[in-house]
Amino acid sequence: MAREFSRLEEPKVPSGTLTYFLREALRRIWTSKRSSFVAISMIAMSLFILGTFMLIAENLEHAVAQWQGKSRINVYFETDATPQQIRAAEQILASHGELARRNFVSKNQALDRFRAYFSNVSDLVGQIDENPFPASFEIEVTQTYLQSRAFDAHMNELRRSAGVEQVQFDWEWLAELRRLARIINIVGLIAGVVLAIAAAFTIANVIRLTMMLYREEISIMRLVGATERIIRGPFIVEGMLQGTIGGLAAAALLYAAFSTAKQMIPPTGSLLWGFLFSTFLPWQKVAALVGGGFVAGWVGSWLSVRERDDL
Amino acid sequence: MIHFYHVTKKFDRYSTALHDVTFHIEKGEFIFLTGASGAGKSTLLKLILRQMEPSEGQIVVNGRNLNAMKRSQLPLFRRDIGMVFQDFKLIERMTVFENLSFILTVLNVSPKEHKKKAYGVLRAVNLQHKLNAYPLQLSGGEQQRVAIARALINDPLILVGDEPTGNLDPDLSAEILQIFADANLRGSTVVLATHDRELIRNSGRRVMTLDHGRIIDEKVAVPERPASRDTLFGFASS
């Protein structure tokens, strides 16, 4: 005899459901290869751009962190400062114990440094008759001294000394660099979010197309009593897979571009090289990039399945 | 089992598919719905499956008022009903086994049981040897038998057929109806819509005739000669 009617409770998720979602999602991606490729490319491109901004900001922050430990004062002389004026300034430095750890950089040494840092443009300097770089003192100081009253007094004394053009503190341009890194991070984040939203909509459209392809199957599934979770699951997983593959592709492309650029620019100790190509993104940020793709894919597919009740 | 109380279904102001229809189908009954194309047979079946809602009136299936049924309750409600269509609605990219296994997956049946259940139900429609064939490699009659196997795989309480023999020749139609009769013998209530009066003539079953959305006749088709298993529907000699 026939059994009794089922109780109308929400059925449990079957044990093999996740495998079914994954298998179906992969099959659907394969069936709609071209549109899936477009969706994955869009996600990859968006995250690559975001990743590029993140990489630049990361390297700037890295440079700032490297310099942060060192508190340094630079005393620059006028280009026509006489040796007597330089000696007078050195006597001021010598008279204060806190300024004793100093290093003199002559005009020629400054020129040599420039040539090493900016090897690409060093020829320009040769075209100028006179060495344009000033001599200077680089002085390592302690944090305690920086915060002391004596510090301001000593700096003013140095500034008043004949032949001294400028007394500069490292932390001023470090703060500028930090600000620049922050701006790059924000701009990258805005650009990345805008592009990720566009990519999510692309994924949504691709999923809509796939749903149209599977219209017949979906109607059969509804008639035999498939729950919405079972019907929509493979489409959601499809979007998440597309997003994750896009994220992984972006991370791989970024690493390939970083490695290639690092190899192409000779490691001459150039300042630019040191700034931009010293380090790749840490794994947490790479994971965030891939996670961004996952989320964009999930949002895109969720947008498309929630509006298609008729299918 | 199935009760319609003054059910009217309007699609718009000018198009009414069913007019004030009232009828009752008892548990274990085998009933034919007949009438010309456009008489309202398919609409009535869709209302039983709650594919659409009535404009007026009440529908009760096994004690459940379909008008009050929540959307979230529909999947489980439909699992008790097997549906067979004129155009089979098989998934062409899947083999016979996959078409059945696919349904078992969505019905939450453990993958370990898929082969056993599929084989059992295919044996009931005499297609166990076509387990790995694709629908397009099968004849129309075979495809319909697979569709019936799919409808039977969850041991439905109600088996609904919408013109299941519409695309088949008389011999194949007899075979298909025999499968429905067997399901009925196993306890399923069967509601079969067909406009082929020849099929119904000697069935010995209740026949409800629709015309322009109204029930115009309701009677039992009396067999012209005593029914046996082979001649239950009067096709063996036709």
Side-chain angles (χ1 to χ4, degrees):
Chain A
M1 283 300 288
R3 59 194 167 80
E4 288 305 306
F5 254 73
S6 310
R7 291 176 64 195
L8 300 187
E9 289 166 351
E10 178 68 14
K12 288 175 190 163
V13 178
S15 54
T17 307
L18 287 178
T19 319
Y20 164 74
F21 285 177
L22 198 63
R23 198 181 57 230
E24 278 298 302
L26 285 170
R27 196 177 54 72
R28 288 168 193 188
I29 287 175
W30 184 248
T31 308
S32 329
K33 283 186 281 291
R34 283 185 188 173
S35 47
S36 297
F37 178 75
V38 171
I40 291 169
S41 303
M42 272 291 288
I43 284 277
M45 201 175 68
S46 313
L47 294 174
F48 178 77
I49 291 170
L50 172 63
T52 305
F53 278 102
M54 282 166 71
L55 190 60
I56 293 170
E58 177 70 23
N59 278 284
L60 280 180
E61 282 164 4
H62 184 75
V64 169
Q66 273 193 329
W67 281 91
Q68 219 160 19
K70 304 166 187 170
S71 299
R72 186 190 284 181
I73 299 164
N74 288 308
V75 179
Y76 292 103
F77 293 96
E78 289 164 355
T79 45
D80 55 356
T82 62
Q84 288 80 6
Q85 287 172 328
I86 293 173
R87 258 196 309 276
E90 191 174 15
Q91 276 170 7
I92 296 173
L93 295 173
S95 64
H96 305 297
E98 300 91 340
L99 300 169
R101 288 175 63 195
R102 62 187 180 276
N103 175 39
F104 179 69
V105 180
S106 69
K107 282 168 70 73
N108 287 339
Q109 284 171 327
L111 179 64
D112 289 344
R113 275 190 187 179
F114 178 82
R115 281 184 171 139
Y117 287 160
F118 302 98
S119 50
N120 297 342
V121 292
S122 61
D123 293 348
L124 289 174
V125 183
Q127 294 169 16
I128 303 169
D129 295 337
E130 203 178 330
N131 179 356
F133 296 97
S136 65
F137 274 110
E138 292 171 348
I139 309 141
E140 300 281 337
V141 290
T142 62
Q143 287 290 329
T144 332
Y145 171 62
L146 288 175
Q147 286 156 12
S148 67
R149 280 185 187 173
F151 173 72
D152 287 336
H154 295 162
M155 291 305 111
N156 287 335
E157 191 182 349
L158 272 172
R159 281 191 185 108
R160 280 197 303 270
S161 174
V164 171
E165 187 177 24
Q166 196 181 12
V167 179
Q168 202 181 58
F169 316 131
D170 271 354
W171 52 96
E172 285 174 348
W173 67 266
L174 281 179
E176 287 299 317
L177 265 186
R178 220 175 282 128
R179 203 171 302 133
L180 181 65
R182 218 167 23 242
I183 290 169
I184 290 173
N185 259 331
I186 291 168
V187 170
L189 195 67
I190 292 169
V193 166
V194 169
L195 288 168
I197 289 172
F201 278 106
T202 309
I203 286 193
N205 284 325
V206 169
I207 300 288
R208 269 184 212 117
L209 280 176
T210 317
M211 287 181 87
M212 293 302 285
L213 274 177
Y214 287 84
R215 198 190 178 105
E216 187 79 10
E217 268 179 47
I218 292 171
S219 72
I220 295 170
M221 287 170 89
R222 285 227 165 88
L223 279 176
V224 300
T227 56
E228 290 304 308
R229 195 184 302 168
I230 289 273
I231 294 169
R232 295 173 185 197
F235 294 106
I236 298 274
V237 173
E238 182 184 345
M240 293 193 305
L241 275 178
Q242 286 176 347
T244 309
I245 295 169
L248 287 170
L253 275 175
L254 196 64
Y255 187 74
F258 173 78
S259 305
T260 310
K262 201 170 178 176
Q263 276 172 6
M264 282 174 71
I265 298 170
T268 55
S270 139
L271 202 60
L272 188 70
W273 186 88
F275 268 179
L276 293 180
F277 302 105
S278 65
T279 180
F280 190 62
L281 292 174
W283 71 266
Q284 292 94 335
K285 288 190 178 175
V286 174
L289 209 59
V290 178
F294 174 86
V295 171
W298 174 71
V299 170
S301 53
W302 180 77
L303 283 175
S304 59
V305 297
R306 67 189 277 270
E307 66 188 29
R308 301 308 304 230
D309 274 357
D310 55 319
L311 284 173
Chain B
M1 179 63 95
I2 301 170
H3 307 280
F4 272 50
Y5 299 100
H6 303 289
V7 172
T8 295
K9 178 63 191 176
K10 290 178 182 172
F11 291 113
D12 54 52
R13 268 178 72 187
Y14 309 103
S15 166
T16 304
L18 289 177
H19 291 271
D20 193 24
V21 169
T22 297
F23 67 88
H24 307 282
I25 299 172
E26 297 307 321
K27 190 175 179 181
E29 203 178 344
F30 189 129
I31 183 168
F32 282 105
L33 281 178
T34 189
S37 294
K41 304 186 295 293
S42 296
T43 303
L44 195 146
L45 296 184
K46 282 178 180 170
L47 286 167
I48 292 176
L49 268 170
R50 230 293 213 136
Q51 274 184 283
M52 50 175 71
E53 291 173 57
S55 310
E56 290 168 30
Q58 301 287 319
I59 302 171
V60 178
V61 177
N62 200 35
R64 291 195 192 111
N65 188 335
L66 300 196
N67 302 51
M69 188 172 280
K70 289 180 198 160
R71 195 183 163 83
S72 61
Q73 294 176 316
L74 275 178
L76 272 187
F77 165 72
R78 286 183 181 154
R79 289 179 190 191
D80 290 321
I81 302 176
M83 182 79 191
V84 182
F85 304 90
Q86 179 176 358
D87 57 352
F88 323 132
K89 290 198 189 299
L90 296 174
I91 300 166
E92 289 174 4
R93 64 175 178 81
M94 292 183 182
T95 64
V96 168
F97 171 71
E98 286 164 347
N99 264 282
L100 301 175
S101 170
F102 161 72
I103 301 303
L104 293 171
T105 302
V106 303
L107 295 182
N108 196 6
V109 175
S110 155
K112 288 175 192 165
E113 289 184 46
H114 287 198
K115 211 145 208 170
K116 189 178 147 199
K117 278 214 162 209
Y119 190 80
V121 82
L122 281 174
R123 204 167 49 193
V125 297
N126 201 22
L127 270 183
Q128 63 274 29
H129 55 291
K130 298 282 187 180
L131 204 67
N132 295 316
Y134 285 90
L136 292 180
Q137 295 171 324
L138 303 175
S139 68
E142 286 173 328
Q143 287 189 56
Q144 191 58 293
R145 279 191 277 161
V146 175
I148 295 172
R150 186 181 62 193
L152 293 175
I153 203 156
N154 198 35
D155 189 20
L157 296 175
I158 301 172
L159 187 57
V160 177
D162 189 3
E163 302 277 6
T165 60
N167 285 337
L168 308 176
D169 62 43
D171 286 342
L172 287 174
S173 299
E175 271 182 41
I176 297 300
L177 284 184
Q178 190 58 56
I179 297 168
F180 276 95
D182 289 343
N184 180 237
L185 284 174
R186 287 196 297 271
S188 295
T189 304
V190 178
V191 183
L192 216 61
T194 177
H195 63 267
D196 188 347
R197 288 170 185 273
E198 195 59 30
L199 282 180
I200 302 164
R201 200 159 45 90
N202 291 318
S203 66
R205 309 291 186 180
R206 182 151 71 106
V207 181
M208 204 157 70
T209 307
L210 286 164
D211 185 39
H212 290 98
R214 295 176 201 278
I215 297 174
I216 56 163
D217 190 25
E218 204 173 340
K219 64 183 179 190
V220 175
V222 182
E224 289 171 358
R225 48 187 181 276
S228 67
R229 184 181 160 79
D230 292 340
T231 60
L232 188 65
F233 292 95
F235 296 110
S237 58
S238 62

